[in-house]
Amino acid sequence: MAVPPSTYPRRLLPLFLGLFQGALLLFFALFVTYDEPSAQVEDTNLVANQVYSTFPFFQDIQVMLVVGLGLLLTFLPHYGFSALTHNFLLLNFSMQWALVLQGLLQHFHHGQIHLDLHKLLISEFAAVTVLISVGAILGRASPCQLLVMATCEIPIYLASEWVIVTCLGVLDVGGTITIHIFSCYFGLGVSKALFRATQQPLHPKETPTPSSDLMSLVGTLILWVFWPSFVAVLCQPGDAQHRAILNTLLAMSASAITTVVASSLLERDGKLSLGHLQNGSLAGGVAIGVVADMAMPPVAALALGSLSAVVCVLGFRFLTPLLGRKLKLLDQCGIHNLHGLPGILGAAASVLAVLLASKDTSGSQPSQLSPAGGNASEVVEGQGGDRGAGGQALCQAAGLAVAIGASLLAGLLTGATLRLPCLARPPERLCFDESLYFKIHDQAESPGPDRSAEEGALALKE
């Protein structure tokens, strides 16, 4: 008996996730294991120290992604359940998918993959790219489309990150280039291809309310507090990690204050825009990531944080409307202003930092741990001799070009894939409406006439 069209997309989501989790169970049963406990006291102490030094950072990042980022996306008043739940779902799905791919490509030895906290952390960094990218199409895509987008984005990110960090030797401890810039332009590419040349009109359910903006602002505060852990977790413990934490705090403090100044000056009545505060306060953390542990005076971190806030606020005020009119580009959450523009600014700052200072204030070279676990400065100096400050600066610029070019191309191809009718993109009338995906208690008690039947019939019209 054929499945009614109105129930098909409802069954596609659990089918997709059920098959994925079942395949993952089989994969873990066959190939994934833990390291055998060591009998040496020194080795046991070393492992314990690594866990105790890494896990607090890992917990901070979990709070950032699950709570902070989830709440930041609740500015849409009729899409709060969907924003929180889909963010949580995509984090877990993308992390497991990245764990499988990284294990097969980088850590598969003698038929086994040895799992540890560092590999899990790097997989979570890969998942961050998906969580940022979906902000461009938030509210206008179905859960199935978001999962397919994550499935495509993770392997492309891993390939891009390998080229940028391993092949080019780019220094990017906080993921400014590899994570923020890549995910931003991947998301914009998906948005452009998915909605093509049609300009999406302002939806009646799209305008934030005071309560939804308040929840989003709480998410901003949570992200602001824990952001230094995100930047510093991959630094070498000691001076480099200490310097990264300090620089991140300074940059984010400056971006918070500058956001208030810029927002007030741009508004005719001098009032503050909540959208500016929700995003501009975090721009300093995006920009500082690539130079957080490099040789730079504290005033440079403050200046970079202030500049990143200015470009973020100006982007919301002028660039986003311009791109919408001229390029018909939809950027629902303004990821270009929070992740793209400050990320480019940070990449440019890394070129200057490499050229102007070959040694930091303590007399040591910048040292960063790449996601593969190696020392990035050793990559710079170990392949073909010391490439020098000029060569490293060119590599930083090349890494930026690779991140933008690869992500845009891959995003356009992924967006074209998401147009498949079977993925059940919601029609314009039902966008930003979580009742299409969730059983809301009040609506379950007193549903409108033929409401569920109407939603089911409309779900597959496009």
Side-chain angles (χ1 to χ4, degrees):
M1 182 176 180
V3 178
S6 61
T7 63
Y8 178 69
R10 320 282 183 177
R11 297 185 180 184
L12 181 61
L13 179 63
L15 178 64
F16 185 97
L17 289 175
L19 290 175
F20 170 78
Q21 200 63 58
L24 196 78
L25 287 171
L26 180 61
F27 179 83
F28 267 62
L30 295 176
F31 303 112
V32 180
T33 185
Y34 296 118
D35 290 328
E36 295 183 2
S38 175
Q40 299 294 327
V41 177
E42 294 81 3
D43 294 339
T44 302
N45 291 336
L46 178 62
V47 173
N49 290 334
Q50 290 175 342
V51 172
Y52 295 145
S53 62
T54 303
F55 191 64
F57 288 106
F58 184 82
Q59 285 180 305
D60 290 350
I61 296 171
Q62 289 279 82
V63 174
M64 284 180 63
L65 302 181
V66 176
V67 184
L69 184 57
L71 289 176
L72 180 65
L73 299 177
T74 59
F75 65 94
L76 297 170
H78 302 279
Y79 208 69
F81 291 138
S82 298
L84 282 167
T85 305
H86 293 164
N87 180 77
F88 185 55
L89 173 64
L90 287 171
L91 172 63
N92 286 279
F93 175 85
S94 303
M95 181 183 65
Q96 293 185 44
W97 178 225
L99 199 62
V100 170
L101 293 179
Q102 282 193 327
L104 290 174
L105 297 175
Q106 299 179 7
H107 309 294
F108 193 75
H109 303 294
H110 307 293
Q112 293 288 328
I113 299 171
H114 292 269
L115 187 63
D116 57 32
L117 185 58
H118 184 263
K119 295 183 179 69
L120 196 63
L121 175 65
I122 300 309
S123 298
E124 192 142 297
F125 268 61
V128 174
T129 61
V130 176
L131 303 186
I132 295 172
S133 296
V134 298
I137 58 174
L138 184 71
R140 296 182 183 271
S142 69
C144 292
Q145 286 179 307
L146 299 181
L147 289 172
V148 171
M149 179 177 172
T151 304
C152 298
E153 183 171 3
I154 291 297
I156 299 166
Y157 161 76
L158 293 177
S160 171
E161 187 268 341
W162 178 79
V163 171
I164 293 171
V165 174
T166 304
C167 298
L168 295 177
V170 171
L171 302 176
D172 184 21
V173 71
T176 298
I177 298 173
T178 55
I179 295 177
H180 293 286
I181 291 178
F182 175 90
S183 58
C184 168
Y185 289 100
F186 184 92
L188 294 180
V190 168
S191 177
K192 182 61 179 176
L194 179 59
F195 303 112
R196 292 186 178 174
T198 59
Q199 186 173 5
Q200 301 299 314
L202 183 66
H203 198 280
K205 296 182 179 180
E206 189 177 350
T207 304
T209 62
S211 59
S212 66
D213 266 334
L214 177 61
M215 293 295 292
S216 183
L217 189 57
V218 171
T220 296
L221 298 180
I222 294 173
L223 287 168
W224 193 96
V225 169
F226 290 107
W227 203 290
S229 295
F230 183 86
V231 173
V233 65
L234 292 180
C235 291
Q236 288 183 339
D239 290 338
Q241 198 167 66
H242 184 213
R243 188 164 55 246
I245 293 172
L246 293 176
N247 284 332
T248 305
L249 286 171
L250 290 174
M252 298 197 70
S253 180
S255 67
I257 293 177
T258 307
T259 298
V260 174
V261 175
S263 179
S264 180
L265 291 176
L266 286 175
E267 297 296 329
R268 293 180 180 178
D269 53 6
K271 295 181 180 180
L272 301 178
S273 166
L274 287 173
H276 295 166
L277 292 177
Q278 291 157 2
N279 293 274
S281 302
L282 304 174
V286 174
I288 197 66
V290 69
V291 295
D293 68 337
M294 289 187 181
M296 54 186 290
V299 68
L302 287 171
L304 186 57
S306 295
L307 286 174
S308 62
V310 170
V311 300
C312 179
V313 173
L314 290 177
F316 274 103
R317 185 67 175 82
F318 300 108
L319 187 58
T320 296
L322 179 65
L323 293 177
R325 291 194 307 268
K326 300 298 183 180
L327 300 181
K328 306 297 187 293
L329 182 63
L330 173 69
D331 184 5
Q332 192 64 50
C333 295
I335 62 174
H336 190 223
N337 307 314
L338 175 55
H339 301 278
L341 298 179
I344 293 174
L345 180 64
S350 72
V351 173
L352 291 177
V354 169
L355 291 175
L356 296 179
S358 59
K359 294 185 177 182
D360 60 31
T361 55
S362 63
S364 60
Q365 294 288 339
S367 56
Q368 302 176 8
L369 292 180
S370 70
N375 190 323
S377 61
E378 291 177 0
V379 174
V380 173
E381 298 177 3
Q383 294 181 353
D386 187 359
R387 60 171 59 135
Q392 182 61 39
L394 288 175
C395 288
Q396 297 293 121
L400 173 63
V402 169
I404 294 177
S407 59
L408 269 178
L409 178 60
L412 290 170
L413 295 175
T414 302
T417 303
L418 298 187
R419 295 184 63 85
L420 292 174
C422 63
L423 297 180
R425 187 182 116 197
E428 183 65 21
R429 182 177 177 181
L430 295 179
C431 288
F432 309 107
D433 191 345
E434 57 200 3
S435 63
L436 185 60
Y437 307 112
F438 289 88
K439 184 177 181 180
I440 310 300
H441 182 67
D442 291 340
Q443 295 176 354
E445 290 182 347
S446 56
D450 299 328
R451 177 172 176 81
S452 59
E454 178 190 17
E455 288 176 354
L458 289 173
L460 274 181
K461 276 195 173 180
E462 292 196 10

